Amino acid sequence: MSTDIDKLLNRLKNDIDLKTYNFFYNILKSNKVQFRDEIIYENKGVIAGCAISAFLSNYYLKDLD
């Protein structure tokens, strides 16, 4: 299952300050990925293993608890 990035960002907008929201927005909406010395353009969403992925995944699913 993929995380709906727009839905996640809408939820975050209501719960966090603007500076933190912009940080998450830039991470989640950027389509640039660096692999070794090459820049690749792709939609990536929440990347598993990323330091903030566990937080974002738990936040996204919080209504299920």
Side-chain angles (χ1 to χ4, degrees):
M1 180 178 133
S2 295
T3 303
D4 183 329
I5 298 303
D6 292 323
K7 186 183 246 183
L8 173 60
L9 287 169
N10 281 334
R11 289 181 183 179
L12 283 169
K13 187 182 287 188
N14 296 323
D15 291 338
I16 59 177
D17 63 274
L18 184 59
K19 187 175 181 178
T20 306
Y21 173 81
N22 288 333
F23 171 75
F24 284 128
Y25 181 91
N26 289 330
I27 289 173
L28 295 170
K29 292 299 256 187
S30 174
N31 65 349
K32 292 182 184 178
V33 178
Q34 182 174 349
F35 179 69
R36 298 186 181 136
D37 293 329
E38 184 179 354
I39 300 292
I40 301 167
Y41 295 89
E42 67 180 24
N43 293 328
K44 60 187 180 318
V46 178
I47 300 173
C50 177
I52 61 168
S53 65
F55 166 77
L56 292 173
S57 297
N58 285 324
Y59 181 84
Y60 184 76
L61 296 171
K62 72 179 184 163
D63 293 337
L64 295 176
D65 289 340

